[in-house]
Amino acid sequence: MSSSIKIESVVKEKNKMGECPVWEEREKALVYVDINSQKVCRWNAVTNKVQSVSVDARVGSVALRQCGGYVMALGTRFAFLDWDTQSVTTVLELEQDKPNNRFNDGKVDPKGRFFAGTMAEETAPGVRARRQGALYTLYPDCSVVKQLDQVDISNGLDWSLDHRTFFHIDSLMYAVHAFSYDVHTGKIACPKLVYRLEKEEQMPDGMCIDTEGKLWVACIDGGRVIRLDPETGKRIQTVTLPTSRITSCCFGGKDYSEMYVTSAYDGLDEMALAKEPQAGEIFKITGLGVKGIPQNFYAA
């Protein structure tokens, strides 16, 4: 790890399951969700204050809308959130035949479509129905296409800089895959393995891309983010964080040179929590020497 890298906790309000950080330039804020607290949160980098909106289901992901406010995937539905009025408008209900399913990670593609995937919740500790999830795309006209089926835990996702490749993580495959991606239609095809995680890296969770086209993957229970070269399939950097349940990452700040990393305290017992007092906090990493790219807006 480079000696110029600095890690600081910027959001001390602990999240049960902090996820899906999104830098919102227009608000100078980091938007994120606490899935298990059923909240969408916004940390203002200027005032250092956190605001939140409670919703009626576990919210897996949030993204920016072109017209203001947010699009989100919560429970098994897509919805819009008006931050000022705190009103939630359902766009579409999915998977009503799967009561144990919920949406997980999501992100907007280069043409303003919102990709988000589902997963089965555990029915008991460590017990989960397999391959119940799917990956969906919500188009700007509010139509939905199912892109992938038989997914375990649909997770981190992003697009290559040339918009020809879609990267996706199904956490229980312990791997990152690349798909061919048609920017005009939004369709994906032909999955190929990019990287299989090593044992100590544990399970891949959220993911983002930098301006050099390299992928950053948050390793839940691995206490780190790793940087991958999708061309060679090699890990090129590891940044270790002060807590084990590292869930996702995004670039932000005025020139997108800061990385924001979410974490969780759910899943840690009392002994682990005593050893990890910063579990559930949000960290800012500076000095990486690389920048990210602005988030795309849902085009409606």
Side-chain angles (χ1 to χ4, degrees):
M1 203 159 96
S2 158
S3 58
S4 62
I5 291 175
K6 183 180 166 207
I7 299 168
E8 59 186 305
S9 169
V10 288
V11 181
K12 310 280 187 197
E13 285 187 32
K14 297 187 190 316
N15 295 285
K16 288 183 177 180
M17 186 60 67
E19 269 282 7
C20 197
V22 178
W23 182 256
E24 186 170 15
E25 210 168 315
R26 59 193 174 189
E27 296 287 341
K28 293 189 173 54
L30 186 76
V31 182
Y32 56 96
V33 299
D34 184 342
I35 298 175
N36 295 352
S37 295
Q38 301 186 7
K39 286 194 308 198
V40 180
C41 307
R42 194 162 83 182
W43 170 74
N44 185 301
V46 180
T47 64
N48 201 29
K49 295 269 190 304
V50 176
Q51 297 173 298
S52 64
V53 173
S54 291
V55 292
D56 65 2
R58 289 184 169 187
V59 51
S61 45
V62 62
L64 312 176
R65 276 185 86 186
Q66 205 165 14
C67 63
Y70 308 100
V71 59
M72 52 184 184
L74 77 160
T76 51
R77 67 191 200 266
F78 285 115
F80 296 139
L81 170 63
D82 182 312
W83 188 264
D84 298 325
T85 64
Q86 302 200 355
S87 66
V88 174
T89 308
T90 296
V91 177
L92 198 71
E93 297 261 8
L94 294 155
E95 299 193 357
Q96 286 166 296
D97 57 330
K98 293 185 174 180
N100 285 325
N101 271 24
R102 68 160 171 84
F103 266 110
N104 201 38
D105 210 352
K107 196 169 276 182
V108 176
D109 84 351
K111 287 289 187 195
R113 312 170 186 107
F114 184 44
F115 280 57
T118 57
M119 57 176 278
E121 292 273 38
E122 291 186 343
T123 48
V127 180
R128 185 193 312 274
R130 296 296 302 265
R131 292 183 282 284
Q132 294 300 302
L135 177 71
Y136 297 94
T137 301
L138 177 68
Y139 284 72
D141 65 358
C142 293
S143 63
V144 170
V145 167
K146 185 190 281 191
Q147 298 265 21
L148 294 175
D149 216 342
Q150 298 205 326
V151 176
D152 274 311
I153 301 178
S154 185
N155 229 322
L157 58 168
D158 218 325
W159 291 264
S160 63
L161 303 182
D162 66 3
H163 302 166
R164 294 174 67 166
T165 304
F166 169 69
F167 300 105
H168 181 252
I169 289 168
D170 180 348
S171 290
L172 294 189
M173 292 180 81
Y174 294 87
V176 181
H177 283 87
F179 295 74
S180 62
Y181 164 72
D182 184 332
V183 72
H184 304 292
T185 63
K187 295 288 175 60
I188 64 170
C190 308
K192 290 197 312 253
L193 178 70
V194 171
Y195 181 81
R196 194 170 299 286
L197 274 76
E198 294 176 12
K199 194 164 186 241
E200 73 276 6
E201 292 166 344
Q202 297 285 343
M203 188 187 285
D205 200 332
M207 173 168 61
C208 66
I209 198 163
D210 64 32
T211 53
E212 295 175 7
K214 308 296 190 280
L215 301 173
W216 293 84
V217 177
C219 300
I220 192 160
D221 299 324
R224 67 193 74 190
V225 291
I226 55 175
R227 188 181 190 221
L228 309 177
D229 185 336
E231 298 294 315
T232 64
K234 298 274 188 283
R235 182 188 68 235
I236 43 183
Q237 191 174 356
T238 299
V239 180
T240 307
L241 285 116
T243 184
S244 59
R245 306 218 80 202
I246 296 300
T247 53
S248 193
C249 51
C250 78
F251 284 93
K254 65 178 187 300
D255 58 358
Y256 290 88
S257 63
E258 302 163 349
M259 177 179 278
Y260 291 92
V261 179
T262 50
S263 73
Y265 70 78
D266 266 10
L268 296 176
D269 60 22
E270 272 181 48
M271 235 167 77
L273 282 169
K275 282 190 196 137
E276 298 184 27
Q278 291 183 289
E281 296 180 12
I282 297 177
F283 304 95
K284 178 171 83 172
I285 307 175
T286 49
L288 287 171
V290 69
K291 295 179 180 181
I293 52 175
Q295 300 284 334
N296 300 311
F297 289 84
Y298 177 68

